[in-house]
Structures are given as C-alpha cells and as structure tokens.
Amino acid sequence: MSSRPDERGRFGAYGGRFAPETLMPALLELEQAFDEARTDPGFLARLGVLLRDFVGRPTPVFRAERLSERLGIDLWLKREDLAHTGAHKINNTIGQALLAVEMGKPRIIAETGAGQHGVATATACALLGLECAVYMGVKDIERQALNVYRMELLGADVLPVSAGAGTLKDAVSEAMRDWVASVETTHYIIGSVVGPHPFPWIVREFQKIIGEELMVQLDGSEGRPTPEVIVACVGGGSNAMGVFFPYVAADADVDLVGVEAAGEGLDTGRHGASLVAGSPGVLHGAMTYMLQDEHGQVLEAHSISAGLDYPGVGPEHAAFLDRGAVRYDAVTDSEAVAAFHLLARTEGIIPALESSHALAWIVREASTLRGKTVVLNLSGRGDKDVQQVAALDG
Amino acid sequence: MVERGIDQLEAMFARVRDRGRAAFLPYMTAGLPDLSSSADLFVAMADAGADGFEVGIPYADPLMDGPVVQAAGARALASGVDVDRALAVVEQVASRTGKPTIVMTYVNPVLRHGIDAFVTRLADVGASGLIVADLPADEAEPFLHAAASVGIGMVLFAAPTTTDARLARIAAARPAFVYGIAELGVTGERQAVSSRAAGLARRVRETIDVPLVLGVGITTPADVAAAARVADGVIVGSALVRRVLDAPDPVAAVRTVREAVAELAAATEVPDRPEH
C-alpha cells in the first residue's frame, strides 16, 4: 500500500483540499516544507531529542494484570497518558511547531475540544518561543476548565467560540477563519488527522511513532506477545491512526478496532459516530465520513467526551473503513463512564474519557476476545475529566 | 431559445463595460429578512441600481464567512430556509428582475445533491452562475464541467496570497469570472480596502482574460469606487446583511438596503476609470 496520499491529497476517494483559495498557497507551502523536513537529518534529530527528553518517549507498554484476569483476556496498555502533558497530542504539536519554525512563522493557532491538543500546542509554543492562540468552544471551556487554565499558564490566549454548539467543530471552523486572515505569519497546528491535505498526512506521520514503538515493544519475544487486537478511540482519529498505521502499512495479522462515541445511543441521533452512522461529505476541507442531514448541512455531534464530540473523522479512516482495514464500532456515554471507573479501580490509572471509550468496547466484547492479546491505546489521562465525572456521580 | 445563465452574465459585463463602469453585485443570504420578503429585497436592490446579485444559500458551517454572514445564515436556517426554499427565492429574483443571479454556497450541499443535479436545478430556476466558497481550482474540474454543460457560469477565486503559478491554473480553467478576494480574511466589514486589492487586480489582469469581480471587506462607497477603478464588478455583502439583521422589521430592512445600494451602486461610476 502507498504510505502517502496522491498528489491531490487523496486516500482513495477521501481527503483532498476543499479549502478557500486564500489558504491554498499555505497548504502547498506546508506540504513542501514537511516533505523536506521529514527526510532532513537535522530536523529529525531535533525532533528525536525533544520526543525523548521533553515528551518522554518511548511511552511504556504496561500489562494490566488485574483487569486481564477480570476480563479473561491478555490486556496491555500503550501508555500515551504518560507522555508529557498527558496525552498523545504532544507528538504532533512538537513536530508541527518545529515545522513552523522552519517556515519562519512566529504565530501558532490551534483548536481544541477536550483541551489536550490546546495544552500540547501551548506547551510546544512555550518551548520554542512561539506566540500561541487556541480556539475553544464555550461548552468545552465550561467542561474542561482545568485545561483552560493550563493553557493560560503556558502563555497561550484561549479564545472562546460561541458559534454553533460551542464545541470542537466550531473551534476548528473559527481557527480556519483566523488562518484565512493571518496565513502569511501564522501556522495552524490542527489537532487531528483531519482538515485539508496535507494535514491528515502530516499528523499521521507525527503520530505513527505510537504504533512503531508498539511493534518493537510487543514483538513476539519472550513475555512480549504480539497483539492480536489493537483498540483505540476515534474522534478525529489521530491516536488511532498513530497506533494503527504502521500495522496497516505492514499488512500485519492483527485486528484493528476504532471506537467512536455513540453518545446517548446511535438511535437517538445524539452521538459522534461519523464512520459508524454518518455518510461521505466534505467537512473542514476534506472528503470524509461526516454527520449531515439530507441537505448536506453539518449536524452537531454529541459526546460526553469533548475530544470525541466532532461530526467528522480523518479521511484516511474513511479509506480504512471502505477497504475493511479497520473495524469501527461505537460505545455510549454511560459505557465509557463505567470503563473510566473500572480502570481507575483495577489498575490505578484514571483514563481520559476519550480513551475510556476504547476500554468500554473491550469490556463489552470481552467474551469474544477471551484469551486474546489485546492492546488498548491509552491515549490520555483523565485528570481533566475528574470534575465532570464527579458531577455526574453527584 | 432561452438565454443561458452564462450568456446573461457576459451580457451584463459587456453592458457595464460599454458604459465605462463596473457592475455592482450585492450579496444577500436567501430568506432574509424573512422568506416572504426575501425576493422583494432583491427587487429593491435591482431598482436601486444593482446589476446582478449573489444569493447565499445558508450553510451551517461557513468557513469563509465572518460573524455577520454567519448570523444571517443561522437565522435563515432556523427559519427553515433549506436548499429548495433558497432556490425558490433565486427563481423569483431571476424572473422578477431579469438580472444575473449568482448562487453562493459551500461544497457539501452541492455534493449532497449531486453536482450535475445541482447545476441543472440552477439552470431550471434561471440562475446565471455558481460560487462555491471552499472550492479551489484544484478540486473544481467536475463543477466546471457540469456547470458548462447546462450554461451556468462557474466562478473561481483569486486571493492576494495566490501565486502566479496558481493564477495560470485558474486562467486555464476558464471561469465565468474571477472573484478577487480584496482583503485577506473572511467576509466582513473593514476600515478600508487595502492596497493589495489593486495589486491582485493587476496580476489577475495580466494572467486571466475573464472579468474580475472584487469582494470581501468592501464596505463603503469609497471602497466601491476604489474597487471599480480596477475591476469589472464589485461585491458588497456584510455591510448590507448587517443592515438587514439590525432592521426592526422587513419593511425597514428593504428600505435601508435600497438606500444603501443606491449609494454604493452610484460609486461604480468612476470618472477616471482606465480602460480594461
């Protein structure tokens, strides 16, 4: 399989560059800058040092003993929650911030849902001395107050977005509007494998280190079984793409499962399951699966998890769905909350509500997974969600 | 034979060129101030001197639009203005004014209908052209092809950031006209149109042999005059949409827009306008 989208930025029928003309030169410039950087030994050396000494890579793989016993499976956790700032998002923001420096752009903008990408972007900007503004929906600002303050501590401006439902989709749109005006001095660090080409490709390339590490860590040697199933949550889909892509590229004999947000239930219409319950269309510059009505209007997503509360998904996931390379399923808010509690009590790890969706799928499917070696990509830690869950529990 | 939409557009540009001025093409979101007065608003703009119109189909996630047009779209959507109702407005506007009516939308609603089906409907309702805000030349081929086959004029953008190589690509696509983005950024009112608009106009002129219409950020009669000096047409949107949103009732909205259009359209008559 090809490791790179075609010259139009397509993964099969998906992707592309449906962007206002104002942005097109910047997208082409970014593609060229990345294409040079990814084979530039100097760039790769700078990135490698930061990933090791600043981010703390490689992140460990941990065998969840008690949960394995309880579920009757051989469960391993890829500990992206232990990466600096508490989620996989930093892999991408460090890489893209370095690219911005290469391109001579002193200002960074980003969108954030749960706040993890915003914090990771603010962190990279503080590290590299870049100006940083983060767009965040007003609803997410309310449910992720801790991360808002973290971004401010790191020197970023958090800009509230009240359009639409005040969630991630609206934050992406507002960041793009900023970029349309500021493109000559500003780089947009998009937070997932979404958006117009070359973003889905760039973000995948910076996130695929998750799967590459896992391949080495669970290589089939003594006490290190190769995964039979790898499970990751999917909002935009960057942590899932990061862990899946090397296995898809290697055509490995492993079942890959992406878990979307079923919200209050797929039949209620209040969910964020673009792949499972959406249809192809163009959202935020890419042809992909999305939630839309019969007139092509974008629908609001719903999830308890701000990071999965998005009506689209990365175009390469859409391509994976069509060719059956990855299986996609969805779990509800309440299943995810139950999994959140379960991991905290059985393993001493409080997971992000996003990652809790992937665990919830494993719990639900435990009987069919019996005896198998399963890896959960634990994409982030749940400190940011503690207040929200506490409020739910009353 | 019924005149095709694109012929109507070409005739309009020829007419204003003969008179030594630029076309005035106001933008308005379909369904404002309300569905029953929407066509009246366009008729009033025609009476006040508009040469044609850009009719916006409201979209839930308008990436190229600033707060004013976003608010207009949200209001229209909330009152039930879907594609069918918006195109019904277009049909009334085209037949009542006889002026070229250009539909402005985003990629996804067109794809949802099917590109061929959508442009065929545009032709059926008497529209002249199609502007798709998030469609660069790179993705435009199927749209250009489908629009040409039914006589609808497809419009492509050029921005101050557009490189000469991209201008050549836009020229090769032979759009009905080039929508020159006068100001970096989303639609909205600005303090003054930047000098970059003139630079963009000059570069477009050198490369592309189709009419140039400037829009985005053009707010006052002085802005219109500056744009008319270098372009074949001028679009004003947010400054008019804001008047509609602020008006206490539909009658007041039609009145205030008529007054504004009369003033703005008059500014397209620039005495020292060079030949294009």
Side-chain angles (χ1 to χ4, degrees), chain A residues 4-10 17 24-38 99 103 187 197-199 201-202, chain B residues 138:
Chain A
R4 171 174 188 164
D6 69 18
E7 71 281 0
R8 294 168 65 211
R10 300 282 183 142
R17 266 186 292 240
M24 287 299 293
L27 294 171
L28 295 166
E29 177 198 7
L30 178 61
E31 181 179 7
Q32 192 182 349
F34 178 66
D35 212 17
E36 285 163 16
R38 72 198 185 101
L99 261 184
M103 292 188 292
H187 176 58
H197 178 65
F199 282 116
W201 175 50
I202 291 177
Chain B
D138 315 56

Side-chain angles (χ1 to χ4, degrees), chain B residues 76-94:
Chain B
L77 283 172
S79 69
V81 181
D82 56 20
V83 172
D84 293 343
R85 291 194 170 112
L87 291 182
V89 170
V90 170
E91 183 160 32
Q92 285 189 55
V93 171

Side-chain angles (χ1 to χ4, degrees), chain A residues 2-146:
Chain A
S2 78
S3 65
R4 171 174 188 164
D6 69 18
E7 71 281 0
R8 294 168 65 211
R10 300 282 183 142
F11 303 95
Y14 304 100
R17 266 186 292 240
F18 295 91
E21 172 60 28
T22 309
L23 295 181
M24 287 299 293
L27 294 171
L28 295 166
E29 177 198 7
L30 178 61
E31 181 179 7
Q32 192 182 349
F34 178 66
D35 212 17
E36 285 163 16
R38 72 198 185 101
T39 54
D40 170 16
F43 180 87
L44 294 175
R46 284 194 293 285
L47 178 61
V49 167
L50 289 177
L51 289 177
R52 187 190 64 203
D53 300 340
F54 185 72
V55 175
R57 302 207 72 89
T59 59
V61 174
F62 173 72
R63 184 160 192 280
E65 298 284 348
R66 297 184 65 217
L67 198 48
S68 289
E69 194 173 329
R70 177 153 169 177
L71 297 175
I73 60 179
D74 179 28
L75 179 65
W76 298 73
L77 311 177
K78 176 62 174 162
R79 299 292 309 275
E80 291 301 300
D81 61 314
L82 292 178
H84 180 43
T85 70
H88 71 290
K89 295 290 187 189
I90 190 97
N91 304 329
N92 170 46
T93 63
I94 293 281
Q96 285 206 50
L98 280 176
L99 261 184
V101 172
E102 296 278 320
M103 292 188 292
K105 303 219 166 162
R107 178 172 177 262
I108 297 294
I109 53 171
E111 84 295 339
T112 199
Q116 288 302 115
H117 175 60
V119 167
T121 303
T123 299
C125 289
L127 175 74
L128 297 171
L130 299 165
E131 187 188 337
C132 181
V134 181
Y135 288 92
M136 189 169 188
V138 290
K139 181 177 172 191
D140 291 338
I141 284 177
E142 187 187 308
R143 57 182 165 175
Q144 302 287 349
L146 177 68

Side-chain angles (χ1 to χ4, degrees), chain B residues 110-204:
Chain B
V110 181
L111 294 181
R112 189 69 184 178
H113 276 79
I115 299 172
D116 288 321
F118 190 85
V119 295
T120 301
R121 288 193 67 189
L122 292 190
D124 289 347
V125 299
S128 294
L130 174 62
I131 300 174
V132 183
D134 51 351
L135 186 74
D138 315 56
E139 301 281 0
E141 215 288 317
F143 290 74
L144 288 155
H145 184 80
S149 72
V150 294
I152 290 290
M154 190 71 210
V155 178
L156 292 177
F157 290 91
T161 49
T162 302
T163 57
D164 290 345
R166 291 191 58 74
L167 283 180
R169 175 171 202 157
I170 293 161
R174 300 293 306 166
F177 64 81
V178 169
Y179 186 139
I181 295 171
E183 190 76 34
L184 279 190
V186 294
T187 59
E189 298 165 84
R190 306 288 200 279
Q191 289 302 317
V193 172
S194 78
S195 58
R196 301 184 70 173
L200 171 66
R202 194 185 59 247
R203 291 199 300 126
V204 170

Side-chain angles (χ1 to χ4, degrees), chain B residues 37-49:
Chain B
S37 322
S38 184
D40 295 343
L41 189 68
F42 286 94
V43 171
M45 293 197 287
D47 292 345

Side-chain angles (χ1 to χ4, degrees), chain B residues 51-75:
Chain B
D51 297 293
F53 319 96
E54 211 188 319
V55 183
I57 297 181
Y59 186 54
D61 203 45
L63 278 182
M64 256 310 283
D65 287 309
V68 171
V69 176
Q70 282 179 54
R75 181 162 135 184

